Amino acid sequence: MPTPPSPLRRITVLAGGIGGARFLRGLLAAAPDAEVTVIGNTGDDIWIHGLRVCPDLDTVMYTLGNGISEERGWGREGETFTVKEELADYGLEPSWFGLGDRDIATHLVRTQMLQAGYPLSAVTEALCERWQPGVHLIPMTDERAETHVVVDDPDGAVDGSGAPARRAIHFQEWWVRYRAELPAHAIVLVGADDAKPGPGVVEAIESADAVILPPSNPVVSVGTILEVSGIREAVQRTQAPVVGVSPIVGGRPVRGMADACLAAIGVQTDAAAVARHYGPRRALIPAGAPADGILDGWLVDSADAASVPAVQSLGIACESRPLLMTDPEATADIARAALELAASLRPQA
Ligand code: FO1
């Protein structure tokens, strides 16, 4: 008996880099008939050696196009770094960001198209012609909006009062050069106010049958996408159920350094705390309480089953199940569980 086509045909996902890309592989396996639109984070984007690098868009494109380096989670499989070595021999900075030779071809195509006047959305569509990721990958905005991190000056400069001087560094420098080990006083999306949602972004959220927040970084990936004016509002008003998958398991990020980012905004590294941070969309809590959040449902790992009642008391449906994406089958099961929770939350037709 063929499984009936799921009522969730149009699925929109707000995705960051590695965790989001791996989740998407499971989602496509769990819902092969679905039409998946991925709104990609571009806050990580950076000019490096005159090339425009879009780490999260490329990680989704390479992962779903089977060109990703599995062991790094970013950049290309079978990569070489000859150009990087040559640049280092010239003493050209930054030497802390590794551009692979194959990866450089992507940045050359993107940079040439941007300089010819194409918007990032058109560039991304052109690059996806080659990679065929199986999703419609669209940047959160076509405008420049870059995540910067306010830290104590790494060179130890002090201000007039002798306190450590603070300065903003690009997210990639904080993440790659300093491994997010410099305490972040603030994380700022430079350009957020002027950036508007990219073509198709609001429409993909409003017309979805389900909106999914994958286990991407809640601050510098999902959080960044929601900072582009108009996107959070679209998520709050969509008719589609909005379901998230916790990126924190047993008090620790599944991968990456989400804990350093959560600390920067004063949110505990805990599955329930992230749900509270995203907030309930429809208040089940006493009428009149603010329900300006974005979540209808939240999946937590079995290790965090004890936090289910606390999340439910916020007005967010919550279930616990294994969330470690240990292999494609496990990832497909997680995606399936997210879709089932979304289907159960659809307004009764
Ligand atoms: N991450 C690193 O830890 N070291 C690198 O040298 C590095 C280079 C790099 C080049 C292209 C690219 O698309 C991603 C790259 N990343 C690197 C990963 C990147 O910092 C992260 O994927 C995201 O920005 C965070 O999700």
Side-chain angles (χ1 to χ4, degrees):
M1 166 74 173
T3 45
S6 151
L8 305 180
R9 212 175 44 75
R10 286 167 303 180
I11 303 169
T12 296
V13 183
L14 277 59
I18 301 163
R22 289 198 170 142
F23 175 83
L24 283 163
R25 235 182 343 208
L27 180 67
L28 291 179
D33 314 334
E35 201 183 293
V36 179
T37 299
V38 178
I39 298 171
N41 170 43
T42 58
D44 292 3
D45 296 3
I46 186 169
W47 284 105
I48 290 278
H49 307 314
L51 298 177
R52 189 67 178 163
V53 179
C54 301
D56 283 356
L57 294 179
D58 291 350
T59 294
V60 170
M61 184 174 74
Y62 289 157
T63 300
L64 300 183
N66 298 317
I68 194 78
S69 156
E70 286 296 344
E71 118 255 1
R72 282 195 303 271
W74 53 267
R76 295 278 280 97
E77 69 187 343
E79 186 60 283
T80 51
F81 291 91
T82 308
V83 172
K84 178 177 189 292
E85 288 152 19
E86 288 297 306
L87 290 173
D89 289 350
Y90 279 114
L92 192 69
E93 288 301 330
S95 54
W96 45 265
F97 195 78
L99 279 189
D101 301 324
R102 290 175 182 270
D103 197 27
I104 286 172
T106 298
H107 311 316
L108 282 169
V109 171
R110 177 183 293 120
T111 304
Q112 281 178 353
M113 287 188 72
L114 289 173
Q115 286 168 345
Y118 291 94
L120 182 59
S121 45
V123 175
T124 306
E125 194 171 347
L127 293 170
C128 285
E129 271 308 300
R130 170 187 173 188
W131 290 101
Q132 297 296 310
V135 300
H136 183 205
L137 177 58
I138 54 179
M140 67 186 198
T141 179
D142 273 341
E143 273 111 22
R144 189 167 176 181
E146 289 181 7
T147 301
H148 282 64
V149 183
V150 178
V151 294
D152 289 343
D153 186 306
D155 305 327
V158 293
D159 65 18
S161 67
R166 288 189 178 183
R167 67 187 181 90
I169 59 176
H170 190 286
F171 168 77
Q172 292 297 346
E173 185 170 7
W174 183 64
W175 191 259
V176 175
R177 185 178 186 186
Y178 297 110
R179 311 302 313 154
E181 279 153 13
L182 294 179
H185 299 297
I187 295 179
V188 182
L189 184 62
V190 176
D193 303 345
D194 310 331
K196 56 184 185 307
V201 166
V202 171
E203 201 264 338
I205 295 168
E206 288 181 333
S207 67
D209 293 317
V211 173
I212 305 290
L213 307 184
S216 286
N217 189 308
V219 182
V220 294
S221 291
V222 176
T224 305
I225 296 169
L226 293 168
E227 275 193 68
V228 174
S229 48
I231 294 183
R232 170 184 289 277
E233 295 74 6
V235 176
Q236 284 178 315
R237 73 170 171 267
T238 180
Q239 292 301 310
V242 180
V243 169
V245 179
S246 177
I248 304 296
V249 168
R252 293 172 39 73
V254 175
R255 66 168 293 127
M257 299 167 269
D259 44 346
C261 304
L262 287 164
I265 60 167
V267 174
Q268 231 182 318
T269 298
D270 162 87
V274 175
R276 195 174 306 113
H277 170 60
Y278 282 146
R281 189 162 69 126
R282 286 186 265 271
L284 301 185
I285 43 189
D292 56 356
I294 57 167
L295 277 186
D296 301 324
W298 185 244
L299 286 185
V300 300
D301 186 81
S302 322
D304 299 306
S307 65
V308 166
V311 176
Q312 288 173 331
S313 68
L314 291 172
I316 299 169
C318 185
E319 292 173 7
S320 72
R321 59 156 350 272
L323 286 188
L324 292 182
M325 301 187 281
T326 46
D327 55 56
E329 200 35 55
T331 309
D333 287 346
I334 298 166
R336 208 169 281 117
L339 293 177
E340 282 161 10
L341 181 53
S344 75
L345 294 168
R346 272 159 64 93
Q348 298 317 321

